[in-house]
Amino acid sequence: MSVEVHNPCFKFGFNTLGAYASINHLHFQGYFLNAPFPVERVETEYLSVFSERGNKDLRVSKLVDYPVRAFVFELGSDLKELAREVSLACNKLELKNIPYNLLIVDCGARVFLFPQKFDENKRLNAIPEEILDTQVNPACFEIGGHMVMKRKEDYENLTEGMICKILSYASLTETEFKAVELDLFS
């Protein structure tokens, strides 16, 4: 759908159960935003483990210095190859019961895959009350950087530091992320 809309302002997202899908069914969310999400501007680092596979039609990287660790799939010359690799990664996450979000941008040419654990951290009582009080449940658009604050005081007092703190509880740890990277791409 993102390719068919063919408008770089169209952002397309998907959430699984455990990553703030409301019910267990397939649906996507999309809207037009005349600016890139903050995550779209983040530096990336190519995954050597993926590039060693010799795939020339696709690049896979990870975000550098963002509050939520994520993979970025970038179209080479074959859209079907991009879709296949994203699908394989999603299927592997599902088999391991790891919730995730997808954010599709650039007319389908870039896909952000966010394995996440905010809901798990919430169940483990690992999130401070001040974060839970915001009622932000980070799904694809929130993790991408488009925060919707539900209370006036949260909106008025919102800082980049607070956004990073909220999002950090959705991120896998560095060790967990490295293990997922190896599972997905080696």
Side-chain angles (χ1 to χ4, degrees), residues 49 53 71 88-89 92-93 96 98 176-186:
V49 97
R53 290 175 29 184
F71 301 105
L88 285 171
K92 288 178 182 179
L93 290 175
K96 293 194 168 286
I98 299 172
E176 291 166 334
F177 188 77
K178 187 63 177 170
V180 167
E181 179 183 325
L182 292 173
D183 285 343
L184 297 185
F185 304 113
S186 56

Side-chain angles (χ1 to χ4, degrees), residues 6-177:
H6 197 67
N7 183 327
C9 296
F10 185 62
K11 314 298 180 177
F12 202 56
F14 174 74
N15 306 312
T16 65
L17 283 179
Y20 295 99
S22 53
I23 59 173
N24 190 17
H25 73 288
L26 181 63
H27 86 264
F28 293 87
Q29 301 169 9
Y31 65 94
F32 290 90
L33 182 64
N34 195 17
F37 275 95
V39 74
E40 293 180 70
R41 296 180 176 178
V42 173
E43 181 183 343
T44 60
E45 176 183 297
Y46 291 115
L47 297 181
S48 58
V49 97
F50 185 82
S51 60
E52 290 167 5
R53 290 175 29 184
N55 188 328
K56 304 289 188 236
D57 289 328
L58 175 71
R59 289 189 305 242
V60 180
S61 56
K62 61 185 174 183
L63 297 179
V64 175
D65 197 29
Y66 194 72
V68 181
R69 291 174 180 85
F71 301 105
V72 184
F73 296 79
E74 296 177 80
L75 178 64
S77 59
D78 187 351
L79 184 61
K80 286 184 181 179
E81 180 68 13
L82 173 68
R84 187 180 78 75
E85 288 294 336
V86 171
S87 179
L88 285 171
C90 292
N91 288 338
K92 288 178 182 179
L93 290 175
E94 288 169 4
L95 287 172
K96 293 194 168 286
N97 203 26
I98 299 172
Y100 63 88
N101 309 94
L102 294 174
L103 179 62
I104 303 165
V105 300
D106 296 338
C107 302
R110 281 201 309 163
V111 179
F112 293 84
L113 172 60
F114 304 101
Q116 71 129 301
K117 59 189 254 178
F118 192 89
D119 196 50
E120 177 185 332
N121 281 332
K122 193 188 279 188
R123 282 193 314 272
L124 295 172
N125 294 317
I127 303 175
E129 204 60 41
E130 71 175 20
I131 301 296
L132 294 175
D133 286 348
T134 67
Q135 301 172 37
V136 172
N137 294 318
C140 60
F141 295 136
E142 291 83 5
I143 292 174
H146 187 198
M147 301 296 279
V148 176
M149 304 313 291
K150 297 175 180 164
R151 300 182 313 177
K152 182 179 180 181
E153 63 265 24
D154 293 327
Y155 176 78
E156 289 173 345
N157 298 316
L158 193 62
T159 64
E160 182 178 349
M162 184 60 164
I163 290 170
C164 291
K165 189 172 181 180
I166 292 168
L167 293 180
S168 72
Y169 289 99
S171 188
L172 301 182
T173 66
E174 190 172 334
T175 302
E176 291 166 334
F177 188 77

